[in-house]
Amino acid sequence: MTDLTPGMRRITLAGAQLGAFASANGFPQPAFESSGFDDDIKLIFRYPGQAEPVLPVQKANGIDVPKNPRPLSKIYTVRHWDAETGELDVDFVKHGIGVATTWAYRAQPGDRIHFVGPNSSSALPEDADWLLVAGDDTAIPAIARLLDSLPDDARAQVFIEVAEDAHRLDLRTPSGVEVTWLTRDGAEAGTTTLLLDAVKDADWWEGRPFAWLAGGHTAVRDLRRHLVEDRAVPKEDVDFSGYWRRSEAVALEDDAAVPDPEKSTTPLEKLHDLAELIPPIAIRTAVELGIPDLISRGVTSVADLAIKSDSDERALGKLLRYLHALDLLAETEPGHYDLTPVGEVLTVEFMVDALHPAGVAGREMLGIYGLTESIRTGRPTYAAVTGKTFADVRAEQDYEDRYLERLAKFQAALAEPIAKSDLLTGVQHLVIHSGGAAAQAREFVAVHPDVRVTICALPAQADWLRRDLPATIPVEQQRTRVSVVEQSVFEPSPAADVVFVIRAFRSLPDADAAHALRRAAQNLLPGGRVLLIEETFDTDDLDEHDGEADLLALTVHGSGLRTAAELDAVVARAGLVRSTTHTVGWGTAIHELVPTEEKKEENP
């Protein structure tokens, strides 16, 4: 361990399991690799008072993460990996109460730590003319590794915010790279606009920039907003990560440096919190009116907010007072409000999309208002609530575009581990039925040079895919191996070695899902198989998020999440049998299905 500065400590990890090894339950694991400058790993710590940490369980091609309790983990950047010496460096920023920080500053040689990752690696684009890099103390490890990896002729402007001058590091700086250090000089992290002001005042170089931003959520959000809105940098040319948000941590009574992971509540208090109706409606109203966004842009008075949001000033004042009571807003002076750390989350695009009734997720969520009638009848009530079926909504091209764009953001983490597994080895023709098919196809054709991919999609999705493919799969040689055909899951799939059906059945009743599976397998080539990814409801390990998805699917589609037994029944109804189940990535289950007759031939 080495103190790089008074505010940063480096811990060097080593051990046999950084090389190839077999897990405790016998699964072979490859040697650790890290090639991306912002690769991260998830460090897993012991809960206070426990002798051992809660750990994921290794499976054949991934891990199974316990749910209750979940592993106590924190994500950190791989600062340096030396494959020859087998040493992995992780740098920790020193701050107040924190599980990881406290561990780093108490660790002794020989102590054990568990981690998983990196899940995937990313690289900087090769066609950018220059780089804009901005981050705070927590981003220094990634920034330092980025600078280490830059070619000698690279051009970059780098802005780094630290607590004080003594926290500066000696970084590699090629001749075309300018590094600007910004010091808070006693100000609390997350309370200044140093990074934003510096980037706004910087010289804007000629050519196409690519921006990499990391650090506190608020600073990263404002930096990205400035680059996209004021500098007209395309969103796809801004890579951003909000590493942390300001919050209050409650320390253990017997250890002021360790946060207490448990919160004690009485049954009455818990029921009160669960049954509260007004907070979620008031929060959604604020988002629909654009109040958090306006405040984050400097509109703080009730009068100005009423004008900007086209609201009645008196009525809006009531809403703002209530949001203040919920600790989403803070009154800075009479009649003026600012966002609290919790309120800041309401400016996150993903959260806005989920809460706004016109958002991709928010519009689907409207179906839950028909829950009572759906429970009584077992039928979808989305049309009764909104005036349209959800299928009609999906047929709207604008909504479908946004729906698919949102899906695409999460596909690399799913598809990359699949592509790198042996599931597609030797496959010549792959058919995909999936909302995120383009991003999935990108990972598959990048790893498997001989595979051809056919994406089956309804007209609205097919239209978006044809427009999106050049951006999603920019390498023409790979893109030419991907085609789109307009057809539904109820039509026979094109002849193929593998038909991949990914999360397509939640909206379908059992009879329709079985029919779709039957059609997927109808034209399989000899030895072909159907690969199915479909979340199931684990009734032995109840999870509230699974329950929410189940109820929403009931109100929107009249269906829901199936149990494992129910999914098996659908598979059998389709004339198929599950030959095996693979686990890849972060615990994704992939069911391998073959015709029943073929399975009988294997087991006479």
Side-chain angles (χ1 to χ4, degrees):
M1 60 196 69
T2 305
D3 286 330
L4 304 177
T5 72
M8 181 171 287
R9 169 167 288 193
R10 173 168 295 168
I11 299 291
T12 299
L13 307 178
Q17 291 190 355
L18 286 173
F21 70 102
S23 64
N25 52 359
F27 292 110
Q29 301 301 311
F32 179 81
E33 292 182 5
S34 175
S35 58
F37 74 91
D38 61 349
D39 287 356
D40 55 50
I41 56 176
K42 186 176 290 187
L43 298 169
I44 302 174
F45 304 94
R46 293 183 294 108
Y47 278 95
Q50 300 299 312
E52 297 293 334
V54 176
L55 295 174
V57 178
Q58 188 68 56
K59 299 295 185 180
N61 291 297
I63 57 174
D64 184 25
V65 181
K67 295 180 180 178
N68 188 26
R70 292 183 177 274
L72 180 59
S73 60
K74 299 294 179 182
I75 295 175
Y76 274 80
T77 300
V78 174
R79 172 59 185 92
H80 180 71
W81 163 240
D82 190 330
E84 292 186 4
T85 63
E87 293 183 338
L88 166 62
D89 291 337
V90 182
D91 294 348
F92 296 79
V93 175
K94 186 177 184 178
H95 55 82
I97 301 173
V99 172
T101 299
T102 300
W103 176 84
Y105 279 83
R106 293 178 177 176
Q108 296 296 318
D111 285 356
R112 286 193 311 156
I113 187 72
H114 297 80
F115 73 85
V116 294
N119 188 39
S120 62
S121 296
S122 59
L124 294 170
E126 297 180 356
D127 55 350
D129 296 307
W130 59 282
L131 302 177
L132 175 67
V133 179
D136 62 19
D137 324 54
T138 61
I140 289 177
I143 293 174
R145 192 173 180 188
L146 182 154
L147 293 174
D148 287 345
S149 66
L150 288 181
D152 291 336
D153 61 350
R155 300 175 66 238
Q157 295 191 54
V158 182
F159 301 89
I160 306 174
E161 176 190 317
V162 292
E164 56 187 77
D165 284 337
H167 291 186
R168 297 187 184 193
L169 285 170
D170 185 16
L171 303 176
R172 175 178 178 264
T173 310
S175 59
V177 175
E178 297 178 1
V179 177
T180 301
W181 292 89
L182 310 164
T183 57
R184 293 191 293 272
D185 291 330
E188 185 179 346
T191 63
T192 75
T193 59
L194 288 171
L195 281 172
L196 178 63
D197 294 341
V199 171
K200 282 184 174 181
D201 294 340
D203 292 334
W204 197 253
W205 292 348
E206 293 287 332
R208 176 193 171 197
F210 181 85
W212 185 87
L213 316 171
H217 158 72
T218 300
V220 169
R221 178 205 65 202
D222 292 344
L223 281 166
R224 178 174 180 258
R225 185 179 286 168
H226 164 66
L227 294 176
V228 172
E229 298 180 3
D230 300 335
R231 294 290 192 179
V233 178
K235 288 184 177 181
E236 58 268 23
D237 287 344
V238 181
D239 189 348
F240 63 100
S241 297
Y243 284 169
W244 60 274
R245 295 184 177 92
R246 292 180 61 210
S247 61
E248 293 185 9
V250 179
L252 292 169
E253 291 185 3
D254 58 353
D255 193 338
V258 177
D260 188 347
E262 299 180 359
K263 295 184 180 295
S264 300
T265 57
T266 67
L268 178 61
E269 290 170 334
K270 183 172 183 179
L271 181 60
H272 177 271
D273 290 341
L274 290 172
E276 279 275 44
L277 178 62
I278 296 177
I281 293 177
I283 290 168
R284 283 166 171 79
T285 297
V287 170
E288 186 174 2
L289 293 172
I291 300 303
D293 183 72
L294 288 169
I295 293 176
S296 75
R297 295 174 183 273
V299 183
T300 63
S301 73
V302 177
D304 290 342
L305 286 167
I307 293 171
K308 293 285 188 180
S309 64
D310 192 24
S311 304
D312 178 81
E313 183 177 342
R314 174 176 169 273
L316 181 61
K318 295 176 180 293
L319 176 64
L320 296 177
R321 286 200 303 267
Y322 182 63
L323 297 176
H324 182 197
L326 293 178
D327 196 32
L328 296 171
L329 301 180
E331 191 171 28
T332 55
E333 58 181 281
H336 288 260
Y337 292 91
D338 197 2
L339 297 171
T340 65
V342 179
E344 289 278 0
V345 181
L346 295 177
T347 66
V348 178
E349 287 185 11
F350 182 82
M351 185 61 66
V352 173
D353 179 83
L355 297 175
H356 198 291
V360 170
R363 194 168 175 184
E364 183 177 10
M365 190 69 69
L366 294 175
I368 203 67
Y369 291 107
L371 180 61
T372 300
E373 188 64 18
S374 287
I375 295 296
R376 284 179 173 151
T377 65
R379 300 176 182 274
T381 50
Y382 190 87
V385 173
T386 67
K388 289 185 175 183
T389 67
F390 194 63
D392 292 335
V393 173
R394 289 287 304 272
E396 298 173 9
Q397 191 65 59
D398 174 70
Y399 181 84
E400 185 69 0
D401 287 355
R402 292 186 291 120
Y403 184 94
L404 296 171
E405 286 169 2
R406 187 174 188 270
L407 269 182
K409 295 177 181 178
F410 305 96
Q411 300 312 308
L414 169 69
E416 185 178 342
I418 295 172
K420 292 182 177 179
S421 72
D422 59 2
L423 277 170
L424 303 180
T425 300
V427 172
Q428 297 294 309
H429 186 203
L430 170 68
V431 171
I432 302 178
H433 294 273
S434 170
Q440 292 156 1
R442 177 190 61 218
E443 304 299 328
F444 298 156
V445 297
V447 174
H448 299 276
D450 297 324
V451 73
R452 291 185 300 108
V453 176
T454 299
I455 300 172
C456 297
L458 291 172
Q461 181 187 2
D463 178 79
W464 180 84
L465 284 167
R466 293 188 180 105
R467 288 182 279 116
D468 174 73
L469 277 175
T472 296
I473 310 179
V475 181
E476 185 175 1
Q477 292 175 328
Q478 296 176 359
R479 190 170 64 250
T480 56
R481 291 187 280 122
V482 179
S483 60
V484 178
V485 297
E486 293 188 11
Q487 70 167 74
S488 76
V489 292
F490 300 118
E491 299 174 75
S493 292
D497 303 295
V498 169
V499 176
F500 218 144
V501 183
I502 301 176
R503 295 167 180 159
F505 292 160
R506 183 184 297 183
S507 62
L508 301 179
D510 289 352
D512 290 352
H515 179 68
L517 271 179
R518 196 177 302 117
R519 289 291 183 258
Q522 183 170 327
N523 290 326
L524 285 175
L525 296 173
R529 56 219 156 95
V530 175
L531 297 180
L532 175 66
I533 296 179
E534 193 71 21
E535 278 84 4
T536 56
F537 201 116
D538 186 351
T539 55
D540 294 325
D541 186 12
L542 294 178
D543 181 274
E544 65 175 287
H545 299 296
D546 289 344
E548 291 164 0
D550 192 29
L551 290 176
L552 182 62
L554 171 66
T555 62
V556 175
H557 308 292
S559 56
L561 293 182
R562 296 176 175 86
T563 64
E566 290 169 341
L567 183 61
D568 284 342
V570 169
V571 171
R573 188 171 180 175
L576 303 174
V577 64
R578 178 168 50 188
S579 61
T580 188
T581 297
H582 309 271
T583 302
V584 302
W586 297 101
T588 300
I590 302 179
H591 307 291
E592 186 169 324
L593 312 179
V594 297
T596 305
E597 294 78 8
E598 182 177 319
K599 189 65 176 178
K600 287 180 179 178
E601 292 175 5
E602 292 178 4
N603 302 284

